[in-house]
Amino acid sequence: MSVWAVLAAAGRGERLETDRPKAFAQLNGRPLLAESLQRLEASAWIDSIVVVAPPGWEEPVILLAEELGCGKVVASVAGGESRAASVRIGVGEVADDAAVILVHDAARPLVSELVVERLLGALNEGWDGAVPGLGLPDTVKRVREGAVVETLPRGELRGVQTPQAFVATVLRAAVAGGDEATDCSSLVEARGGRVTVVEGDPRLLKVTTADDLALVESWLGGSSSDAP
Ligand code: C5P
């Protein structure tokens, strides 16, 4: 069973206020992208990696992959205007015979082997897709123009992360429609795909602000080679 990873790294990351795309913001003195790239490379489950780069940064991505010894990286392609467009471009680079595609956000540097194993285990059980999720500590309300219109049943809610893993044919069909969505799972769900949630990881935090970068750095203990 061949497993391909698509690493979505084409976001601009405006809230980080750096002079470069988010994937190249510095985390422990190296590009943010390096952390997830190295972890996916080291995964015993992943055979090949496609990086979706910020437009114009395809070459620096290849150089970074070479520098890190990431031999599983088979393509670095320019992303699109949205995450969904970037994922569609990345999925287009995946070999026809891939069995599973795992889509991950470079903005979540601390991807772990344990989460990858949980996701692939779920696909093995027959699910079309699997996503890591965490229960929500806060009560969640739907608000319109300042007024609370609904309090949602917290027990049923999950904050969903990446990586997200899918049977390759299912994901291909889901992204082909060209629809916009903030994650891949929702595209699969919309087509009737059966997706399960596995236990996520609080350290799969999505880096959005400089404070998030500092927090991830602290988890890494100042050394990017230490596992969290
Ligand atoms: O913008 P957002 O936080 O949802 O981005 C999540 C992930 O999607 C990030 O890793 C980012 O690099 C990626 N992305 C992308 N192409 C875009 C926008 C976001 O690959 N056009």
Side-chain angles (χ1 to χ4, degrees):
M1 181 178 86
S2 99
V3 179
W4 283 59
V6 170
L7 188 52
R12 280 189 276 271
E14 274 144 11
R15 289 181 59 195
L16 272 180
E17 294 174 359
T18 59
D19 57 352
R20 58 192 77 183
K22 193 197 294 192
F24 284 86
Q26 293 290 294
L27 176 73
N28 267 357
R30 59 184 201 160
L32 177 65
L33 171 65
E35 193 66 40
S36 50
L37 196 51
Q38 210 166 30
R39 287 165 178 256
L40 294 175
E41 174 75 24
S43 169
W45 301 101
I46 291 165
D47 300 299
S48 304
I49 302 169
V50 173
V51 182
V52 187
W57 290 74
E58 301 93 307
E59 195 60 32
V61 164
I62 290 292
L63 294 176
L64 177 66
E66 281 172 4
E67 204 177 300
L68 297 171
C70 294
K72 294 180 186 174
V73 174
V74 295
S76 166
V77 286
E81 271 303 305
S82 64
R83 182 188 188 275
S86 292
V87 170
R88 192 156 52 245
I89 292 166
V91 168
E93 297 294 318
V94 172
D96 291 343
D97 63 358
V100 168
I101 304 175
L102 189 135
V103 181
H104 185 54
D105 291 338
R108 300 182 192 269
L110 302 186
V111 52
S112 74
E113 189 76 336
L114 189 58
V115 168
V116 172
E117 275 174 19
R118 287 182 192 141
L119 296 167
L120 298 182
L123 295 193
N124 240 347
E125 288 169 11
W127 294 93
D128 294 324
V131 303
L134 294 173
L136 303 177
D138 298 324
T139 299
V140 179
K141 298 185 189 293
R142 191 189 309 280
V143 180
R144 244 174 249 141
E145 292 171 7
V148 172
V149 292
E150 189 184 1
T151 299
L152 297 162
R154 189 174 63 180
E156 289 183 358
L157 298 174
R158 298 290 180 275
V160 162
Q161 307 170 315
T162 73
Q164 300 187 347
F166 304 92
V167 172
T169 50
V170 170
L171 183 64
R172 281 187 212 280
V175 300
D179 294 336
E180 287 301 317
T182 52
D183 78 346
C184 299
S185 177
S186 42
L187 297 174
V188 170
E189 294 155 36
R191 293 176 54 89
R194 290 176 63 253
V195 180
T196 189
V197 178
V198 303
E199 183 65 20
D201 184 345
R203 295 190 181 212
L204 270 172
L205 174 81
K206 180 155 83 171
V207 170
T208 307
T209 64
D211 284 347
D212 298 332
L213 265 180
L215 183 57
V216 172
E217 276 190 356
S218 75
W219 285 340
L220 286 168
S223 160
S224 53
S225 61
D226 288 346

